[in-house]
Amino acid sequence: MNAHSALAPTPTGLAARLRLDALELPVLAAIWGISFLFMRVAAPAFGPVPLVELRLALGGLVLAPLLWRARTQFPLRLWPKLALVGAVNSAVPFALFAWGAERAPAGIGAITSAMTVLFAALVGFAFFGEKIGGRRALALLGGFAGVSVLAAGKAAGTGIGWAVAAGCAAAFLYGVGLHLVRRHLGGLSPAAVASSTLLSAALLMLPLALAQWPAHAIAPRAWGAALILGLLCTGLAYLLFYRLVARIGAARTSLVTYLIPLFGVAWAWLLLDEPVTASMAAAGALILAGVWLARRETH
């Protein structure tokens, strides 16, 4: 028996790994889906910026041991770039989603987050010379049609257009962030990059968060939601995400994009008693169909 065959997984071990992968993908989607519920609970008590400060700091600290282990890859000259990526890819999108969570059901943010894949294609075309074929063009049209349907809807008789706009702006910044990370931070430990960008973004937002910190007492329920948002939905979720990328590849892990809106809407319906409206269902179907088309063209 050679060294490679000795290290290769047995059929039983391979089957166990496949079952674990099949379980971890929906678990990750469930965690990221429920993050919109926790934002909905915590944002009215903290305000968007203080809540995001807690989320960034806690998430970055969970991943800090991985950053320390890879610290030689992160010289001082790299940190301004990390701070910029942290602002674009974490701080501002998190704040936009939290702002929207104060004004609309949790499911709205979850649905708009799926636009990240489509915006990444649009940003690649507009700024990085990437091509958009027929399927991607149709995907973008379907996604934007879904956003229009969603923005025209109402929740409890109140318009949600601004919350939808905030969610789409956040997804657009995620799309920009994907390209920035790919082009400027490639070759570095992904989990360490996540920690460094989260922590640098937390440092950037700290003065504003302190200035806007609420003067009133914050209920334990809101504190609990904020802590879970930072520790579980940011720090541990990133760990799970990069673990999956290492095992099954980025393309298969990106299937989580389809599941996040479904889990986000389901959690809000189950735990917050938020209704699932016809416009939400129609918009979600259009956006996810667009994501499916966009991913097909890249394979």
Side-chain angles (χ1 to χ4, degrees):
M1 180 181 292
N2 60 37
H4 290 292
S5 61
L7 293 173
T10 63
T12 303
L14 182 60
R17 274 183 52 184
L18 290 174
R19 286 196 297 271
L20 186 61
D21 295 340
L23 175 64
E24 286 184 0
L25 199 64
V27 166
L28 177 61
I31 292 171
W32 271 339
I34 206 170
S35 69
F36 295 94
L37 179 148
F38 291 127
M39 281 189 280
R40 179 70 168 158
V41 171
F46 283 93
V49 175
L51 176 61
V52 168
E53 177 64 25
L54 286 171
R55 181 178 186 182
L56 291 167
L58 292 170
L61 288 172
V62 168
L63 297 166
L66 299 175
L67 174 60
W68 177 256
R69 192 167 65 186
R71 63 190 181 278
T72 56
Q73 299 179 18
F74 293 81
L76 284 176
R77 67 178 183 275
L78 186 62
W79 282 87
K81 192 177 291 185
L82 293 167
L84 173 63
V85 171
V88 171
N89 201 42
S90 298
V92 180
F94 287 178
L96 286 166
F97 278 127
W99 185 88
E102 290 185 291
R103 293 160 175 81
I108 300 300
I111 292 170
T112 55
S113 72
M115 287 292 293
T116 298
V117 173
L118 304 180
F119 279 126
L122 186 61
V123 169
F125 170 74
F127 299 106
F128 298 104
E130 295 183 0
K131 294 180 180 179
I132 289 186
R135 275 204 179 98
R136 274 193 176 182
L138 186 60
L140 288 167
L141 288 174
F144 290 125
V147 167
S148 299
V149 170
L150 192 62
K154 292 187 175 183
T158 304
I160 56 173
W162 284 112
V164 172
C168 288
F172 174 79
L173 289 172
Y174 280 157
V176 174
L178 286 171
H179 288 278
L180 292 177
V181 170
R182 188 182 305 158
R183 282 164 172 77
H184 299 291
L185 301 175
L188 300 174
S189 162
V193 167
S195 179
S196 63
T197 55
L198 288 169
L199 290 173
S200 57
L203 189 60
L204 285 175
M205 292 197 73
L206 182 59
L208 189 57
L210 291 175
Q212 296 186 13
W213 194 267
H216 58 267
I218 299 170
R221 181 171 182 257
W223 271 112
L227 292 173
I228 296 171
L229 183 64
L231 295 172
L232 174 65
C233 301
T234 308
L236 292 176
Y238 271 121
L239 280 176
L240 182 56
F241 173 76
Y242 289 119
R243 170 187 164 97
L244 278 166
V245 169
R247 284 217 314 267
I248 66 176
R252 289 179 63 191
T253 304
S254 70
L255 291 172
V256 74
T257 309
Y258 297 107
L259 301 175
I260 291 171
L262 304 179
F263 275 106
V265 171
W267 284 125
W269 175 68
L270 284 169
L271 301 179
L272 296 180
D273 202 26
E274 291 184 354
V276 181
T277 65
S279 63
M280 289 171 64
L286 284 167
I287 292 170
L288 291 179
V291 172
W292 177 76
L293 279 172
R295 286 193 75 259
R296 282 201 63 184
E297 184 150 302
T298 60
H299 290 81

